[in-house]
């Protein structure tokens, strides 16, 4: 748990953490109910989960679903913005790659991803 978070036992509002577990490229990652996928990834220390065209690492940029830098595949659904999607216990998240979309030139998919 992050030292910046209010611990459940000292929360004056009475919230209680409900843990959840997702998998990212087959690796288990723990989170808390209510976090976005990006929040779960960031709290696990993953600052980037794909690479841009230039090879620069990419993760969350805007955090509000405008930039498409945080795209992942969730349960077979491509192009899910990790900053907008709440994590659900058991989610299977995979990173994306331009190679996953054969036949598209590199510039046809301006928000395509490459696996980190």
């Amino acid at each position: 748990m992050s030292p910046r978070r209010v611990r459940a036992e000292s929360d004056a509002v009475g919230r209680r953490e409900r843990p959840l577990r997702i998998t990212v490229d087959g690796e288990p990652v723990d989170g808390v109910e209510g976090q976005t996928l990006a929040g779960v990834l960031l709290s696990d220390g993953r600052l980037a989960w794909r690479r841009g065209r230039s090879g620069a690492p990419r993760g969350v940029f805007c955090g509000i679903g405008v930039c498409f830098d945080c795209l992942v595949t969730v349960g077979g659904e491509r192009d899910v913005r990790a900053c907008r999607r709440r994590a659900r216990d058991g989610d299977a998240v995979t990173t994306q790659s331009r190679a996953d979309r054969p036949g598209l030139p590199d510039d046809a998919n301006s928000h395509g991803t490459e696996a980190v």
Side-chain angles (χ1 to χ4, degrees):
M1 173 161 51
S2 167
R4 295 184 204 133
R5 296 198 49 213
V6 175
R7 296 191 67 82
E9 59 272 5
S10 61
D11 185 357
V13 176
R15 291 175 286 237
R16 296 291 181 245
E17 294 180 348
R18 291 184 200 105
L20 60 82
R21 177 169 283 176
I22 64 173
T23 59
V24 180
D25 293 333
E27 294 180 33
V29 178
D30 294 323
V32 176
E33 185 178 278
Q35 286 182 301
T36 61
L37 290 170
V40 172
L41 293 168
L42 290 169
S43 67
D44 188 53
R46 297 170 189 242
L47 302 180
W49 45 89
R50 71 174 192 90
R51 293 201 176 269
R53 279 190 228 178
S54 68
R58 309 302 293 177
V60 174
F61 180 70
C62 73
I64 59 172
V66 176
C67 71
F68 298 93
D69 272 352
C70 62
L71 296 177
V72 293
T73 299
V74 182
E77 181 183 346
R78 288 188 57 84
D79 300 333
V80 175
R81 289 176 272 184
C83 69
R84 302 271 304 163
R85 166 77 154 58
R86 298 259 183 218
R88 297 180 194 134
D89 194 39
D91 275 345
V93 177
T94 54
T95 55
Q96 295 181 185
S97 169
R98 283 196 183 112
D100 295 341
R101 292 190 166 186
L104 287 180
D106 281 347
D107 61 352
N109 185 5
S110 63
H111 58 268
T113 61
E114 295 179 18
V116 173

